């Protein structure tokens, strides 16, 4: 099976760069693109260069005052004290030269993907440079300056008047997007993430269900630390199917952080590549079942940029392009090019070896705890729905 799909890429997506020591490293986008080149799964006609989001588009979600602060920060015209008011200049989101332009390309990449799908040019589109889900209306947070997901959903609502299901599988709660639409019944958010008891941003409790007209359209599964494949996938698949049937969206937007993998240095989940094969397969299946295939995907977190992110993100494109995941050996040309630069030995296969995963003594306890979370969350998916016209 081959479908009309678009891959958003140019070197402009690589300019979002805080400093050499920062864990957020957009080289992972290049590594993924070159891995797809090496397996000959991406052609020139598949690629669309991202445009830069306009200030008017950014202002669909972000305050004008905040946008101006980001612009000044990128020109070294914002003091440290002024920056702190907006979450700029912190350890998580340091200021860097031309940060407004770099951030605007990430947002514009997601808007490019939106227009490709909703104009009918493509059925699916992927912007691995996006997925910056922690940004707020007037504040940077958690490595995220502008929130491309929130801007894109506002853009979809305003330009296309469609109901949007946002699905976030990053290990960190998709807080910025959730709060942006917490009272909006035309946008449903679903985030499966590590519990905030141990991990930033500390939100995403199962009881966060939305307010006012948006009550019943926010879903969270804050799974326990050290959750492994079986439990993650059971919860993800069951919840996604229930929520999509409950909400019946016109389009699905997924955020595909790859930091729930056991190799990730910033989180405590213990999943394998099996999770990153199922995540896009299910999104693809449900987009076709409920949305005539309309699926837009972004990147997100993922801080083991050598062993984990390229393999996980390449599978999204494989599913979009062919409807199936890749298996077997990784291409020797890609391994040969990057093995000397990688600080860790590169995996040689698409799948993980069982030896890479620790024994978790609390495995059954964790699974039982996660199941109770699922039961608690799903009862909200049976709430009476309002009669909405998209």
């Amino acid at each position: 099976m081959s479908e009309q799909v678009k891959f958003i890429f140019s070197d402009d997506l690589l300019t979002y760069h805080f400093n050499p020591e920062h864990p957020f490293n957009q080289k992972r986008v290049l590594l993924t693109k070159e891995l797809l080149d090496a397996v000959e799964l991406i052609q020139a006609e598949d690629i669309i260069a991202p445009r830069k989001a306009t200030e008017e588009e950014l202002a669909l979600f972000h305050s004008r005052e905040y946008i101006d602060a980001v612009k000044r920060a990128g020109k070294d015209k914002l003091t440290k004290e002024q920056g702190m008011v907006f979450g700029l200049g912190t350890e998580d989101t340091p200021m860097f030269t031309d940060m407004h332009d770099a951030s605007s390309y990430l947002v514009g990449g997601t808007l490019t993907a939106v227009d490709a799908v909703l104009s009918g040019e493509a059925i699916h589109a992927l912007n691995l440079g996006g997925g910056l889900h922690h940004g707020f209306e007037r504040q940077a947070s958690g490595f995220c300056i502008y929130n491309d997901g929130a801007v894109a959903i506002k853009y979809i609502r305003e330009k296309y008047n469609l109901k949007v299901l946002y699905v976030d599988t990053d290990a960190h709660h998709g807080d910025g997007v959730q709060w942006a639409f917490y009272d909006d019944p035309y946008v449903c958010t679903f985030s499966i993430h590590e519990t905030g008891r141990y991990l930033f941003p500390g939100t995403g409790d199962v009881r966060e269900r939305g307010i006012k007209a948006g009550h019943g359209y926010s879903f969270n599964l804050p799974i326990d630390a050290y959750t492994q494949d079986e439990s993650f996938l059971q919860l993800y698949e069951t919840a996604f199917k229930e929520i999509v049937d409950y909400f019946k969206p016109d389009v699905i937007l997924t955020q595909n952080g790859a930091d729930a993998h056991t190799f990730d240095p910033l989180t405590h989940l213990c999943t394998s590549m099996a999770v990153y094969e199922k995540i896009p397969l299910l999104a693809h299946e449900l987009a076709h079942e409920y949305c005539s295939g309309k699926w837009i995907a972004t990147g997100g977190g993922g801080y083991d940029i050598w062993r984990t992110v390229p393999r996980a993100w390449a599978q999204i494109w494989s599913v979009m392009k062919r409807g199936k995941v890749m298996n077997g050996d990784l291409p020797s040309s890609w391994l040969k090019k990057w093995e000397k630069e990688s600080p860790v030995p590169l995996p040689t296969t698409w799948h993980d070896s069982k030896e890479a995963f620790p024994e978790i003594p609390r495995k059954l306890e964790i699974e039982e705890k996660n199941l109770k979370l699922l039961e608690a969350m799903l009862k909200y998916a049976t709430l009476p729905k309002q009669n909405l016209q998209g």
Side-chain angles (χ1 to χ4, degrees), residues 89-118:
T90 65
E91 185 177 348
D92 276 359
T93 50
M95 302 182 201
F96 63 93
T97 302
D98 294 330
M99 61 194 297
H100 167 76
D101 290 342
S103 304
S104 297
Y105 273 113
L106 301 192
V107 179
T110 302
L111 296 180
T112 301
V114 166
D115 281 332
V117 171
L118 299 185

Side-chain angles (χ1 to χ4, degrees), residues 78-149:
L78 196 72
T79 67
K80 183 175 181 179
E81 292 72 22
Q82 291 170 329
M84 286 295 175
V85 174
F86 299 100
L88 300 170
T90 65
E91 185 177 348
D92 276 359
T93 50
M95 302 182 201
F96 63 93
T97 302
D98 294 330
M99 61 194 297
H100 167 76
D101 290 342
S103 304
S104 297
Y105 273 113
L106 301 192
V107 179
T110 302
L111 296 180
T112 301
V114 166
D115 281 332
V117 171
L118 299 185
S119 70
E121 181 183 1
I123 193 165
H124 316 309
L126 176 60
N127 175 33
L128 293 174
L132 278 70
H133 57 172
H134 295 308
F136 293 105
E137 178 185 359
R138 62 186 312 274
Q139 191 169 45
S141 177
F143 312 160
C144 305
I145 297 169
Y146 295 140
N147 189 324
D148 62 292

